[in-house]
Amino acid sequence: MVGVGKAFRWLRPLAAIGIAALVGCGSSADEGSTKDDPSTERGNEPGDGTSSTIPGLDTKELRERPWEVVSNKGETYLANVFYADASQNEQVMPWMIDGRAVIDRLVYPTLGNPNLYVKDEANDELTMVLRIEPNAFDHLAPKAGPSAAGEPSELSLTQDEQNRFAFFLVNHSARAQATESPNAQKAAGGVYEIVPKKIQINAEPADMPSALGARKTIRFVFDQAAMKGVPAGLYDARFEVKKAGAVYANVFEYQYNSVRVFDHASEEYTALNVTDTQVSVGDEYKSLTADKLDDFVDAVNANTEPAVKTAAFITFNGDLHNGGSPGTLRERTVASTYNGEAKRILGALKRLNLPIFLTAGNHDGYASLGRAPSAVVTVDAKLGDSLQKVVEEQNNHAWPDFTWDKYAAFLAKTDNTRDGLHRDVYTGAFKRGVGDTYEASFAEVPRDDRNMVLYDGFHQWQKTYGPLYASWSFGKNRFVSMNTYELRQHRRTGWGMYTVNYGGAVGQTQMEWLDRELGRSRLTNEDVTLLMHHDPRGGHKGKDLGYYFPMLRYASVQQSTINYLFNEVFTPLICKQDDITLSVNDRESCLHDGLQEWMGPDEEFEKTPNGFYLSGIELLSRVAKNPQVRTLLIGHAHLNSLEVMQQGDELVPNRVKLDDKSPARLESLETANPVRRFAWQGELAHGGAKAAFDDTVAEAPIARSSLNDYRIKLDAQLSRATANMPRTLEAPASGGARDLAIIRMTSAADLTSQKYGADKMFGWSVLHVTKQAAGAARINRVTFMIHTGPDAFAKIKTVDVDRTKSLAARGAENPVDQLFDW
């Protein structure tokens, strides 16, 4: 594959690792048939050595950034190697589970970002990435070789049997005695030691922030020879540092279900999809959510259907967590909600017999400064409890040098801005920018100038499952998992599951990363499936497309809402309960899943020369102009649906698509969540004054004119943003038809209103990746499974995804619409 090889010589460090593998992840037979053919459809030799002959594709721009780890297939294992550093996940409450930082040094592969290794693909590699402090391996006399232009350099270590890095793959049968053991391991039944062929250490350019230099980024690369003795199967990954034959200074770590080994990867295969588990540990809610996740795990493990039993992996479309339950309002329970949910989720997912790739949703990323509603504070005080008591009882605070006095000072500092300090920070300690240097992309925000959050769900995610966005390849397909709840931290604040902004957004740094992912997929000629939680077209359930909900400031959960939730004002009877929860019958009153599909711009930070940065429009434009994007997998709305679009069909709306019923419908959506309705009142009546945040203020109607004014303003923004933008699906440059399937999946929890006959339609699905005619293999069939009882699911039907014609989400010709009642 001469052309592709030369094109990818620009992709550091891919050329150093083995660029031939960039032709894709197919079978060895496929690789052999095109290996030396410069005319292969996968790419041609660039004319000037700086860019490929694919129009508009400059391979120099596709190179790995200094803070990334990109595989020799062009997959982004890590878009930010620092994602799990303690310094990037600072909060008041601990994110440890049972005293363990689930992700600390071993940052790839992980349970939610696993590695798929194929033994008969000669160029495939397993890479393990550590973020590790130098004194943990100083006794191995590390010495870094020369580095060209900031590329990773070879790391030499003085190692022997007694003193070394040791790596193991452990199957489930040996997990108890090997994976989790604090003792040094050796190869035995079910435990396979693997030895890296190459060790590399990431360069640290002069502009790298000092806060990120306390640990080093080291890659351990395992090739075909290293993996030869490992049978096909699913494994935990474990590393340990040995000194004198023992684990040195307790430096070891493991990740459950993080590596799957295949003997062979066919272009045609199945994958499972589960989404919106919304796991809660609230007394009433856990039977609707957490218990249903256990049902899924047990049912998949026991299923004997070939399409399920031989599935390659599981995809997930967001809302793994719930971030509380409708009745979880007490300070003690809210403060520990994400940590408690993560413990329950980890306990379930580690039992799976298939690897799972996790995509984040809005419920996974709620944050709180710790400002409880005044009624809750009053009740807790009567019960002898308080946030101070809850916080001071914790061990392992995730905020360095924490004291209550410092926290109290921060709360006083933000008394008039209950949603927090408005900083251009999504997560971590840096303002992120677009660029290929640290100076351009990592601007540190001093700790004293950031929000001292009580908790952030994304911190718990990064310390438990893996990064918030990544990609992987399998067969001839590339899967790109996006974080579509990429709102700035202060825009995600609330109390428990109560917040005001829960629609989609993608920041410019992630969007630039997506551009490179799409460029790499063009060079490798891979079909792309984008996995995301929200629909970037906006609106709600396929109506009012282009309507993007405005970002509001969280004010509080006001007294009137609390009265509504509990039907009375915190009586002593209710307050005697350890965990105040709503009854199951009341739960629908404050659910807000799917009501907001996508958010408008953050006008405080996203001003552009032409107006504002509209992330939904920007994302859709990428889909429109990249014909290799063939499938969108979406969650959020708790329903199964299917749409198919063809070349020339409009994908990018240039205005809000309203009908005569839209104004009333949008007003209802804007105010259905009582917390958001209160925020609207604060925005309109108080303009940010402290009175807007007084949760004892009575609710008042929202002027319809204010919503009309917003829609008019949004229309103008859409018109400017789409003036010179491709708005219809573009055809492949090589010819042929263009299609796009948009597949939504229902919730795996008992939280949906969709019906299959008389039954609530919650469950999971099987995705069939098959070939049709001359096209490459892609998702062409879907099998729907419905929950029928504890650990039990029934197959409803397998539906063909006809990619030859346009198909609206609703109508007599749509086979999915005919199955389910919206």
Side-chain angles (χ1 to χ4, degrees):
M1 186 93 46
V2 176
V4 173
K6 288 188 177 180
F8 266 93
R9 70 188 182 189
W10 295 99
L11 305 187
R12 107 172 142 73
L14 302 181
I17 296 176
I19 55 179
L22 284 163
V23 300
C25 189
S27 68
S28 56
D30 292 322
E31 290 170 356
S33 65
T34 60
K35 180 178 178 182
D36 298 313
D37 181 6
S39 65
T40 176
E41 66 174 357
R42 291 185 179 278
N44 295 307
E45 183 173 353
D48 61 1
T50 62
S51 63
S52 87
T53 56
I54 298 175
L57 185 64
D58 184 351
T59 55
K60 290 186 298 183
E61 295 304 313
L62 306 185
R63 67 191 182 280
E64 179 188 276
R65 301 304 191 246
W67 48 86
E68 294 179 331
V69 173
V70 177
S71 81
N72 60 348
K73 298 176 186 176
E75 308 152 289
T76 302
Y77 289 158
L78 296 175
N80 176 6
V81 298
F82 312 110
Y83 78 89
D85 281 15
S87 65
Q88 304 312 300
N89 294 280
E90 293 175 348
Q91 60 182 41
V92 173
M93 294 296 288
W95 25 247
M96 290 186 173
I97 295 178
D98 292 332
R100 180 173 85 95
V102 178
I103 301 177
D104 187 14
R105 300 181 180 97
L106 179 53
V107 296
Y108 180 83
T110 61
L111 181 143
N113 186 29
N115 181 275
L116 307 179
Y117 176 80
V118 182
K119 296 180 72 174
D120 72 350
E121 291 183 4
N123 295 305
D124 205 1
E125 296 174 339
L126 165 63
T127 299
M128 294 196 191
V129 183
L130 303 185
R131 286 280 297 155
I132 189 167
E133 56 272 43
N135 61 7
F137 62 102
D138 275 347
H139 63 288
L140 303 180
K143 183 177 180 180
S147 174
E151 293 181 7
S153 59
E154 299 297 317
L155 180 67
S156 64
L157 301 169
T158 302
Q159 301 189 95
D160 55 34
E161 182 61 28
Q162 299 296 303
N163 304 278
R164 61 194 174 95
F165 279 97
F167 292 87
F168 302 91
L169 298 179
V170 184
N171 66 28
H172 284 198
S173 66
R175 174 178 285 171
Q177 65 268 29
T179 298
E180 302 164 342
S181 172
N183 301 317
Q185 297 299 303
K186 61 181 180 180
V191 181
Y192 302 89
E193 182 169 1
I194 54 176
V195 179
K197 76 160 186 178
K198 183 186 301 183
I199 305 173
Q200 296 179 310
I201 186 167
N202 273 23
E204 297 184 354
D207 63 348
M208 177 177 167
S210 58
L212 303 178
R215 292 185 171 189
K216 308 304 174 186
T217 304
I218 306 179
R219 313 173 195 207
F220 297 82
V221 182
F222 305 87
D223 63 357
Q224 193 176 35
M227 298 293 289
K228 183 178 180 180
V230 182
L234 180 64
Y235 296 92
D236 301 337
R238 174 189 167 101
F239 94 93
E240 58 194 42
V241 176
K242 289 185 176 181
K243 184 175 184 180
V247 173
Y248 173 59
N250 207 37
V251 180
F252 76 100
E253 195 168 321
Y254 52 87
Q255 297 297 332
Y256 298 116
N257 291 356
S258 56
V259 177
R260 181 162 188 192
V261 177
F262 297 84
D263 286 327
H264 173 78
S266 171
E267 291 183 42
E268 295 187 300
Y269 55 92
T270 58
L272 309 186
N273 181 274
V274 62
T275 187
D276 291 75
T277 53
Q278 293 194 205
V279 169
S280 172
V281 292
D283 285 348
E284 295 282 357
Y285 231 50
K286 66 184 179 183
S287 65
L288 304 173
T289 61
D291 291 352
K292 299 304 183 287
L293 176 60
D294 286 329
D295 287 349
F296 166 75
V297 171
D298 293 335
V300 167
N301 286 348
N303 197 296
T304 59
E305 287 286 332
V308 176
K309 191 175 182 63
T310 64
F313 50 83
I314 303 171
T315 60
F316 189 90
N317 297 110
D319 280 2
L320 181 64
H321 286 254
N322 202 54
S325 70
T328 302
L329 290 172
R330 292 278 305 280
E331 293 166 292
R332 180 169 298 277
T333 51
V334 168
S336 59
T337 282
Y338 274 111
N339 193 249
E341 291 176 352
K343 181 177 179 178
R344 179 70 185 264
I345 292 166
L346 186 66
L349 295 184
K350 73 180 186 181
R351 296 190 291 107
L352 277 168
N353 291 333
L354 294 173
I356 185 167
F357 290 89
L358 295 174
T359 296
N362 52 288
H363 275 274
D364 302 309
Y366 297 153
S368 180
L369 302 186
R371 294 192 178 281
S374 61
V376 174
V377 174
T378 299
V379 169
D380 276 348
K382 291 179 179 179
L383 295 172
D385 209 356
S386 67
L387 186 62
Q388 180 175 355
K389 186 175 181 180
V390 171
V391 167
E392 290 183 338
E393 288 175 358
Q394 305 304 311
N395 296 317
N396 302 312
H397 286 291
W399 190 272
D401 305 317
F402 174 83
T403 68
W404 177 260
D405 288 344
K406 290 180 182 178
Y407 187 40
F410 167 77
L411 292 176
K413 175 181 177 180
T414 56
D415 188 48
N416 289 333
T417 52
R418 296 295 178 93
D419 56 343
L421 302 172
H422 290 205
R423 300 292 180 261
D424 193 4
V425 171
Y426 293 95
T427 60
F430 295 92
K431 172 185 176 182
R432 294 298 308 277
V434 173
D436 58 5
T437 65
Y438 280 105
E439 184 178 15
S441 295
F442 285 79
E444 188 168 5
V445 179
R447 184 178 290 122
D448 290 344
D449 196 35
R450 286 188 277 120
N451 284 302
M452 194 172 184
V453 293
L454 179 67
Y455 62 80
D456 185 328
F458 281 156
H459 292 168
Q460 187 70 61
W461 181 285
Q462 292 177 146
K463 296 299 295 184
T464 310
Y465 316 114
L468 291 166
Y469 51 92
S471 70
W472 75 96
S473 294
F474 194 77
K476 297 297 175 67
N477 310 111
R478 177 178 295 252
F479 295 83
V480 180
S481 174
M482 301 191 68
N483 173 20
T484 58
Y485 192 49
E486 198 170 43
L487 278 65
R488 289 166 179 83
Q489 190 176 57
H490 66 275
R491 292 297 191 187
R492 296 185 282 109
T493 57
W495 183 251
M497 62 172 283
Y498 295 102
T499 188
V500 295
N501 304 310
Y502 39 88
V506 172
Q508 295 185 53
T509 302
Q510 185 182 175
M511 199 74 76
E512 186 265 349
W513 167 78
L514 175 62
D515 286 337
R516 289 185 282 121
E517 280 295 304
L518 296 176
R520 290 166 182 153
S521 69
R522 291 179 66 194
L523 199 56
T524 57
N525 195 39
E526 293 172 306
D527 266 23
V528 174
T529 295
L530 292 182
L531 296 104
M532 59 187 70
H533 188 59
H534 304 84
D535 188 338
R537 294 174 297 177
H540 176 60
K541 290 188 176 181
K543 297 180 179 180
D544 310 313
L545 300 183
Y547 182 80
Y548 296 139
F549 289 76
M551 292 193 192
L552 303 180
R553 298 169 303 158
Y554 169 74
S556 183
V557 184
Q558 68 276 30
Q559 181 70 59
S560 56
T561 300
I562 292 172
N563 293 349
Y564 171 66
L565 292 176
F566 295 106
N567 300 316
E568 55 189 315
V569 182
F570 287 103
T571 65
L573 178 63
I574 292 177
C575 295
K576 287 179 181 178
Q577 299 181 39
D578 292 333
D579 181 22
I580 301 176
T581 55
L582 288 178
S583 69
V584 175
N585 292 333
D586 291 335
R587 72 182 189 276
E588 300 294 344
S589 62
C590 45
L591 286 178
H592 48 68
D593 302 286
L595 296 183
Q596 291 178 16
E597 197 65 76
W598 204 270
M599 305 308 295
D602 190 331
E603 298 187 2
E604 190 172 359
F605 295 101
E606 295 176 344
K607 179 74 175 175
T608 70
N610 295 321
F612 293 97
Y613 168 77
L614 297 174
S615 63
I617 295 299
E618 292 294 332
L619 179 53
L620 289 169
S621 73
R622 268 74 172 174
V623 175
K625 68 183 180 182
N626 282 277
Q628 75 275 29
V629 179
R630 298 284 190 171
T631 308
L632 305 185
L633 282 181
I634 304 176
H636 188 56
H638 296 183
L639 55 87
N640 290 316
S641 71
L642 170 67
E643 298 171 68
V644 181
M645 307 182 80
Q646 301 294 319
Q647 179 180 322
D649 285 350
E650 182 184 270
L651 181 65
V652 180
N654 69 342
R655 56 156 301 168
V656 181
K657 301 292 196 317
L658 298 177
D659 57 33
D660 58 349
K661 297 180 180 179
S662 292
R665 183 164 55 237
L666 292 173
E667 181 179 359
S668 174
L669 294 174
E670 283 284 6
T671 60
N673 177 352
V675 184
R676 184 169 174 87
R677 182 166 65 246
F678 185 55
W680 263 109
Q681 294 161 10
E683 293 281 340
L684 299 172
H686 303 289
K690 182 177 179 180
F693 304 112
D694 183 354
D695 53 79
T696 64
V697 173
E699 293 185 41
I702 297 175
R704 178 168 293 187
S705 61
S706 63
L707 291 172
N708 289 333
D709 290 344
Y710 171 72
R711 286 195 288 271
I712 291 170
K713 185 171 92 170
L714 178 61
D715 246 357
Q717 291 177 356
L718 286 166
S719 178
R720 288 192 298 268
T722 58
N724 300 304
M725 183 174 287
R727 296 182 47 245
T728 60
L729 291 181
E730 295 189 358
S734 58
R738 170 76 195 276
D739 61 78
L740 176 70
I742 302 173
I743 306 172
R744 297 198 84 133
M745 298 299 187
T746 190
S747 174
D750 186 5
L751 299 175
T752 178
S753 59
Q754 190 175 59
K755 294 288 187 69
Y756 172 63
D759 299 321
K760 294 181 78 172
M761 180 55 238
F762 63 98
W764 46 281
S765 303
V766 182
L767 310 174
H768 302 259
V769 179
T770 63
K771 289 185 175 181
Q772 283 186 350
R778 54 184 66 106
I779 299 171
N780 287 321
R781 302 171 72 202
V782 180
T783 299
F784 297 100
M785 309 289 290
I786 188 170
H787 186 277
T788 57
D791 304 343
F793 292 83
K795 176 180 175 180
I796 295 176
K797 189 176 182 179
T798 298
V799 172
D800 288 329
V801 179
D802 185 351
R803 292 177 176 266
T804 65
K805 58 184 180 182
S806 297
L807 187 67
R810 300 191 185 191
E813 294 186 356
N814 191 311
V816 177
D817 187 39
Q818 297 310 302
L819 280 178
F820 307 113
D821 180 7
W822 290 30

